[in-house]
Amino acid sequence: MKVAIIILAAGNGLRMQSDTPKVLQPIAGKPILMHVMDTVNELLSSKSAYDFSKICIVVNKQYDLMRQHVSNKAIQWVVQLEQKGTGDAVKQALPFCSDCDVMLVIYGDMPFIRSETLLKLLDHSKGQQLTILTSQLANPTGYGRIIRNQQHKLIDIVEETDATKEQKKNIEINTGMMVIPISKLKDWLPQMKPNNQQKEYYLTDLVHIASSQNACVQSHTTYHILEITGVNTRQQQIELERAYQRWQSDNLIQKGVYIIDPNRLDIRGSLSAGHDVTIDINCIFEGTVSLGNHVSIGAGCIIRNSHLADYTTVNPYSIIDQSNIASHCNIGPWARLRPHTKLAESVCIGNFVEIKDANISKNTKIKHLSYIGNADIGEQVNIGAGTITCNYDGINKYHTQIKNEVFIGANTALIAPLIIEEHATIGAGSTITQTAEAGYLTLSRVKQRVIKQWKRPR
Ligand code: UD1
Ligand code: CA
């Protein structure tokens, strides 16, 4: 069966009161539309009997921004010049899908719709029947209400603005997702009239048009509220963000992760964790992050696209970006590991230390106030407080190599390119410009003077 997926995203989103199109507003760090596209991609790669041969996104005139976000070249962009309602949006898409059997309509403002639910909806339609995805909400305000006859047959959907007091009490709602047989749609569309409060062509009118012709209308109900929650206002965006974050936290908690307060954790991407992992409050995980067993993350940490191996501890307010951390490391508080930092086993990085593009070998300690960039640091090295690799001349970056068992005294400037040979010691306060020989003490220090006749200005 050939299925056309239609994503409705042309609405003006006026209720958001924002210059950014509603479907590009973020949830969990990603535009709402991109979450929908994740589901579409799941459908495309699912092993189902359906041939998803067309994907249309219905957009308004200002869709350039959206095009930048959605890179899939197979997408058919359908421009709806005037926002005359969801029914009109589908009408605009129809000419692009006339060779398909059914249309699967999904909304661009519902980020967490699941592919498994959409596949069930398609199964219910058997490729021939108008099929509506419904749900039941304790508070159905704002949604179209499902109207059934005494035989429990679905005969109509009424929008909140058009509903009677009695109809508004109904908790069964239209989620908006539906499957429409294309041959019938061609017949039904001209019967749609904008006779309602909003003077729009409602897609939901298909239900009473179909049932008045005695065509069978099917429904499938989902009780997974998160997947059918749409975003129309800032308030809803914020509430859905929290609900989604809570859902992600709960999934991790079920796998044994100790999240100290699941209401104060944000995952903007994917986080995987082994056993006996503890995450303190107010942490943000971005991109793809994996934590080994017995990892502990202190309060207020931000970790992005990184892997942290077993028994590593990150102390509060540290930032780790595109880094690879081996086991038994101790990081922070207030450490900043920038892209391409690699820490071997049992490395210790203390407060106000910044590291970038550097390999730090096992058992090395950089405990206070240092900048290490473009460097390879050996095993069992001790880097004193205030050590700086001077790696940049304003144009080029240069490399520093510090070999095993070196000791760098505090407040040392290492002018790259530079090599410090094994077991060398650098005296505190030095500016080192040339290779420091293995095993010796190297220092550059201005001789201390005493000026006895000097007087403090008064
Ligand atoms: C719609 C449904 C309602 C359902 C609710 C679920 C209709 C008439 N109503 O109401 O029954 O309970 O969704 O969330 O369908 N859009 C266009 N072009 C337009 C208008 C809208 O592409 O001319 C797109 C929007 O970008 C959005 C989607 O269609 O992604 C839904 O539109 P919206 O205005 O949010 O409909 P609701 O009032 O939420
Ligand atoms: Ca909506």
Side-chain angles (χ1 to χ4, degrees):
M1 185 165 73
K2 280 179 124 182
V3 181
I5 301 173
I6 312 297
I7 303 164
L8 302 189
N12 290 318
L14 293 175
R15 290 169 277 181
M16 283 305 281
Q17 304 181 55
S18 165
D19 290 340
T20 305
K22 176 170 78 176
V23 298
L24 292 185
Q25 297 285 347
I27 289 204
K30 185 154 97 176
I32 293 170
L33 183 62
M34 298 316 293
H35 288 283
V36 177
M37 290 312 295
D38 286 349
T39 303
V40 168
N41 288 329
E42 273 172 42
L43 285 176
L44 297 184
S45 55
S46 67
K47 288 192 195 81
S48 70
Y50 304 108
D51 170 11
F52 296 100
S53 44
K54 189 115 246 156
I55 307 164
C56 298
I57 307 186
V58 184
V59 287
N60 60 28
K61 279 176 281 182
Q62 297 133 325
Y63 73 103
D64 278 359
L65 261 175
M66 287 188 213
R67 268 189 118 140
Q68 286 167 24
H69 279 85
V70 183
S71 55
N72 189 334
K73 288 201 181 73
I75 283 174
Q76 176 71 54
W77 297 89
V78 177
V79 181
Q80 184 192 26
L81 290 173
E82 270 180 86
Q83 278 53 68
K84 291 192 275 189
T86 47
D88 180 70
V90 162
K91 187 177 165 192
Q92 305 306 318
L94 182 60
F96 298 94
C97 345
S98 48
D99 60 331
C100 293
D101 300 304
V102 295
M103 247 188 198
L104 168 64
V105 177
I106 58 183
Y107 283 5
D109 67 355
M110 260 179 213
F112 301 120
I113 184 70
R114 294 180 303 169
S115 54
E116 56 197 274
T117 303
L118 296 174
L119 287 171
K120 277 195 197 125
L121 194 65
L122 281 162
D123 293 347
H124 273 77
S125 79
K126 300 184 189 77
Q128 311 182 20
Q129 283 156 350
L130 177 61
T131 309
I132 310 293
L133 181 66
T134 72
S135 188
Q136 297 192 352
L137 298 179
N139 175 10
T141 311
Y143 288 88
R145 305 299 202 283
I146 298 293
I147 309 296
R148 294 182 184 271
N149 67 10
Q150 278 167 344
Q151 288 75 45
H152 203 67
K153 278 195 169 142
L154 213 176
I155 52 164
D156 204 356
I157 296 175
V158 267
E159 291 306 301
E160 171 94 19
T161 42
D162 305 303
T164 63
K165 236 180 166 180
E166 209 46 43
Q167 288 169 330
K168 279 184 192 161
K169 286 184 193 153
N170 188 359
I171 60 161
E172 192 185 10
I173 59 100
N174 170 35
T175 66
M177 317 289 128
M178 59 176 85
V179 176
I180 315 169
I182 285 180
S183 57
K184 292 182 183 153
L185 183 63
K186 289 172 186 165
D187 168 33
W188 291 337
L189 269 176
Q191 299 180 49
M192 227 180 245
K193 300 275 168 347
N195 298 332
N196 50 59
Q197 286 292 330
Q198 304 186 73
K199 306 274 177 286
E200 284 185 357
Y201 292 90
Y202 286 170
L203 185 59
T204 46
D205 281 354
L206 290 185
V207 173
H208 86 251
I209 294 171
S211 63
S212 66
Q213 294 179 356
N214 286 325
C216 185
V217 183
Q218 296 287 343
S219 66
H220 170 62
T221 307
T222 174
Y223 296 94
H224 193 275
I225 305 305
L226 191 67
E227 73 172 329
I228 54 101
T229 306
V231 174
N232 300 304
T233 62
R234 232 3 136 203
Q235 186 72 27
Q236 288 171 339
Q237 180 189 12
I238 291 163
E239 282 168 9
L240 185 56
E241 169 90 37
R242 259 358 300 150
Y244 177 64
Q245 292 300 349
R246 182 64 206 231
W247 178 77
Q248 292 192 111
S249 291
D250 289 348
N251 283 343
L252 287 165
I253 292 166
Q254 270 165 29
K255 291 179 188 147
V257 178
Y258 179 28
I259 295 172
I260 291 183
D261 181 356
N263 294 317
R264 285 183 287 173
L265 172 65
D266 284 79
I267 302 166
R268 300 170 186 165
S270 77
L271 171 64
S272 62
H275 61 81
D276 293 292
V277 166
T278 302
I279 301 173
D280 208 338
I281 59 166
N282 293 337
C283 291
I284 301 176
F285 294 88
E286 293 181 345
T288 306
V289 176
S290 56
L291 308 175
N293 302 323
H294 296 273
V295 167
S296 166
I297 310 291
C301 289
I302 301 175
I303 303 181
R304 187 181 302 129
N305 292 321
S306 294
H307 170 70
L308 284 66
D310 299 354
Y311 292 98
T312 278
T313 296
V314 183
N315 297 294
Y317 306 107
S318 296
I319 300 177
I320 300 179
D321 189 3
Q322 287 183 59
S323 296
N324 200 324
I325 316 295
S327 64
H328 296 93
C329 288
N330 199 307
I331 298 162
W334 290 287
R336 181 174 181 208
L337 306 188
R338 290 171 50 200
H340 313 299
T341 292
K342 214 172 147 205
L343 306 187
E345 271 166 56
S346 305
V347 164
C348 186
I349 305 295
N351 42 217
F352 310 112
V353 173
E354 175 182 346
I355 301 183
K356 179 218 83 167
D357 226 325
N359 291 311
I360 319 288
S361 308
K362 64 181 183 194
N363 295 320
T364 284
K365 295 185 169 69
I366 312 172
K367 295 194 71 161
H368 336 260
L369 300 152
S370 292
Y371 170 63
I372 304 295
N374 302 86
D376 282 292
I377 312 236
E379 295 176 10
Q380 218 121 0
V381 169
N382 195 315
I383 300 216
T387 296
I388 307 290
T389 51
C390 306
N391 60 334
Y392 188 48
D393 62 7
I395 305 280
N396 307 297
K397 294 272 162 70
Y398 298 98
H399 186 255
T400 300
Q401 186 179 11
I402 298 176
K403 296 193 180 170
N404 296 343
E405 291 172 38
V406 162
F407 183 99
I408 311 265
N411 209 26
T412 294
L414 300 164
I415 315 289
L418 187 67
I419 298 173
I420 311 288
E421 296 287 1
E422 263 190 46
H423 216 281
T425 301
I426 306 295
S430 297
T431 298
I432 304 295
T433 56
Q434 285 160 34
T435 302
E437 286 178 48
Y440 295 118
L441 169 66
T442 302
L443 76 170
S444 75
R445 207 176 269 172
V446 179
K447 242 200 163 112
Q448 190 164 314
R449 292 191 295 160
V450 184
I451 302 169
K452 292 200 169 157
Q453 65 277 29
W454 184 79
K455 284 201 173 65
R456 259 196 218 176
R458 285 180 190 273

